[in-house]
Amino acid sequence: MAVLLLLTAGIALAEDTEDTQMNVKATVYYHYNDFSTDKLPIEKMLDRINELRLPENAWYWNEQDTEKVYLTDLAPLTYDYGLEEVAMQRAAECAVFYSHTRPNGTIWHTAYPKKTGFRGENISAGQLTIENVFKAWAEEDKKYSGQGHRRNMLSTNFTHVGVGCVQAGRHLFWVQAFASYNSDTTERVKKSGPADIVLSVSILNQGGLTDAALVSRNVTINEGETSNVPAIQGKTGYWKDSVITIIDPNWKSGDETIASIEAGKLTANKGGKTTLTVSDLKLNVNDELISQDIVVNLHSFCKEHTPFKSIVSPTQEATGSQQEMCSVCELALGDKLDIPALKDMHVLTIPAKAETIDEESFTGIAADAVILPDTVKSIGTKAFAGSSKLMYVQLPEGVTVAEDAFENCADTVVMDYRKSE
């Protein structure tokens, strides 16, 4: 069972030198009939390695580069799916941080299971085919100092091999994992794919993440629902163009009664608004340590709830505003409307003690605003109709207003009901 991994990898930079474990989302594709044969791509690689180990092909230069050293007693390597898992893990890590040092700062062989005897690793990046990457590792045109990959494939110390291939961005990352041990997991079970898997890549503060950004800045979730926490995306890798997604950064909720986070999942507990923050993780972007916030809006547009208009009354000097709000969540619905200061408007002030505004009393007036005293109890039909500039009316609480009292006024007329003092 050979696999090609299409990877969206995860990388994070710790604020100090402690490891930060992140998840890597990958899709596995099982390939058949490769190169017009019935062999899988990785089986093709195994064939190439064992062909190299034949007596007529098994040579490398001596340390002085004066003669070729031939090996005549090499046994063929056995393909091992435990080592394939190691190779896939290391290929994913190389997509994030291309080195024999793992992204968590440890040496490559810590990825291997214990008691595997001798271990070896070949890595490569960029080749698009088995044939090309094998040719690069075979190093026939190099001298001793440049034949380390070749000597790994020809080593008498190894009995098993696994191969991994990961795609990140536009590039493939390849790994051969060698070992000497008795485990044999070579049974080939054909599967139909693709299938999702998750790998983990542990990163220290050396990952080289650039151009980090939230995949989605606003997340909407309904009360009682659960979703994945927001992801952060950036670029990293050998060519600095592999797109990497941090699937579950260590978000913290500003108000856990509204939304709580556990095991990479966001749960909406009640209507409201809170802010998610990567509180103990900072991303190294353009040499600046930054933290990223995200706002979680619960009950987007609150269609099940009754909206109300929140009004800030303008004063002589200060502007006011009107904002439609949800009566339960108290979240803003739609855009806020600004109201000019009274000194910037043409204001009609109705004299005190007036109790009724008769029908058609002020039709077509040129005022921007009307202020009514607390004594007014009713406003008649078409009282201010056709006043095309009228945008703000200050009303006493409890006044009765005819349905057409303000028809054909400004597009939006702010009705500001004041409580009686």
Side-chain angles (χ1 to χ4, degrees):
M1 177 177 62
V3 292
L4 171 66
L5 241 56
L6 299 183
L7 174 71
T8 305
I11 180 171
L13 303 180
E15 190 170 356
D16 48 32
T17 58
E18 294 182 2
D19 287 3
T20 301
Q21 189 76 20
M22 309 306 296
N23 282 337
V24 178
K25 188 63 176 290
T27 301
V28 180
Y29 289 92
Y30 297 87
H31 289 260
Y32 299 99
N33 301 321
D34 191 64
F35 302 102
S36 299
T37 73
D38 61 353
K39 290 192 174 182
L40 306 177
I42 305 305
E43 289 177 320
K44 196 86 170 182
M45 176 69 80
L46 179 63
D47 287 347
R48 291 293 176 265
I49 296 171
N50 285 333
E51 287 171 7
L52 184 67
R53 291 171 70 89
L54 294 174
E56 62 269 26
N57 300 325
W59 64 268
Y60 57 86
W61 287 102
N62 64 7
E63 293 187 39
Q64 294 75 33
D65 295 328
T66 57
E67 61 180 351
K68 293 180 179 179
V69 177
Y70 280 86
L71 304 170
T72 59
D73 57 349
L74 294 178
L77 297 183
T78 300
Y79 198 82
D80 185 273
Y81 280 90
L83 290 177
E84 182 182 90
E85 292 180 3
V86 172
M88 286 297 182
Q89 177 69 35
R90 287 292 297 125
E93 293 174 356
C94 283
V96 173
F97 184 65
Y98 186 75
S99 173
H100 289 295
T101 299
R102 302 180 70 186
N104 68 359
T106 62
I107 196 64
W108 56 271
H109 57 69
T110 58
Y112 286 63
K114 295 180 179 179
K115 298 180 180 180
T116 52
F118 293 102
R119 288 161 287 185
E121 174 180 273
N122 286 342
I123 66 175
S124 191
Q127 295 85 1
L128 298 178
T129 67
I130 293 284
E131 302 295 341
N132 286 344
V133 71
F134 178 80
K135 182 178 179 180
W137 279 328
E139 299 165 331
E140 291 187 0
D141 57 346
K142 297 182 179 181
K143 297 298 184 179
Y144 180 88
S145 62
Q147 291 185 320
H149 302 94
R150 184 182 183 89
R151 290 196 301 275
N152 266 345
M153 291 190 289
L154 296 177
S155 175
T156 59
N157 294 324
F158 303 138
T159 59
H160 293 72
V161 66
V163 181
C165 179
V166 162
Q167 180 177 333
R170 297 181 294 111
H171 307 293
L172 297 180
F173 296 83
W174 303 84
V175 172
Q176 290 175 333
F178 303 95
S180 174
Y181 65 136
N182 294 324
S183 170
D184 186 356
T185 54
T186 59
E187 181 183 0
R188 283 164 169 74
V189 179
K190 289 190 176 184
K191 292 185 177 181
S192 59
D196 288 337
I197 67 168
V198 173
L199 299 176
S200 292
V201 178
S202 181
I203 308 296
L204 284 178
N205 55 350
Q206 59 180 11
L209 185 68
T210 62
D211 301 326
L214 290 168
V215 174
S216 175
R217 185 163 292 276
N218 295 303
V219 172
T220 300
I221 183 172
N222 291 323
E223 186 174 353
E225 291 182 350
T226 298
S227 73
N228 293 326
V229 294
I232 295 176
Q233 216 170 55
K235 295 180 180 180
T236 189
Y238 186 74
W239 286 275
K240 301 298 182 186
D241 67 350
S242 298
V243 177
I244 308 302
T245 299
I246 305 173
I247 296 175
D248 57 351
N250 193 14
W251 293 107
K252 297 291 180 63
S253 173
D255 188 341
E256 293 192 351
T257 65
I258 294 174
S260 56
I261 300 171
E262 184 176 355
K265 296 292 184 179
L266 174 70
T267 300
N269 299 317
K270 69 175 184 180
K273 185 172 75 171
T274 186
T275 299
L276 304 186
T277 307
V278 184
S279 57
D280 60 355
L281 177 67
K282 292 187 177 180
L283 303 179
N284 189 0
V285 181
N286 299 326
D287 297 325
E288 294 182 7
L289 291 176
I290 64 172
S291 60
Q292 301 238 13
D293 295 344
I294 188 168
V295 177
V296 178
N297 293 321
L298 308 183
H299 299 286
S300 177
F301 305 113
C302 302
K303 292 179 180 178
E304 302 89 350
H305 300 156
T306 302
F308 72 95
K309 287 182 170 60
S310 174
I311 297 174
V312 176
S313 302
T315 65
Q316 191 65 28
E317 299 295 331
T319 60
S321 64
Q322 176 179 275
Q323 175 73 67
E324 191 173 42
M325 309 289 288
C326 171
S327 60
V328 175
C329 301
E330 296 186 355
L331 297 178
L333 309 175
D335 297 328
K336 183 173 70 172
L337 177 66
D338 293 324
I339 305 171
L342 295 177
K343 67 181 180 63
D344 296 326
M345 294 190 288
H346 178 193
V347 180
L348 171 65
T349 301
I350 303 299
K353 297 184 180 180
E355 296 184 356
T356 302
I357 306 298
D358 295 333
E359 63 182 51
E360 300 184 359
S361 297
F362 297 97
T363 57
I365 61 170
D368 301 305
V370 172
I371 296 178
L372 301 176
D374 292 342
T375 54
V376 172
K377 304 300 181 184
S378 64
I379 300 175
T381 184
K382 298 185 183 296
F384 295 93
S387 304
S388 60
K389 295 178 62 180
L390 185 60
M391 68 176 76
Y392 175 71
V393 181
Q394 201 172 84
L395 300 156
E397 185 180 34
V399 65
T400 301
V401 182
E403 185 175 346
D404 59 356
F406 295 93
E407 73 176 10
N408 297 324
C409 292
D411 291 340
T412 302
V413 179
V414 176
M415 310 294 285
D416 185 1
Y417 290 87
R418 298 170 300 154
K419 290 186 176 181
S420 301
E421 296 180 358

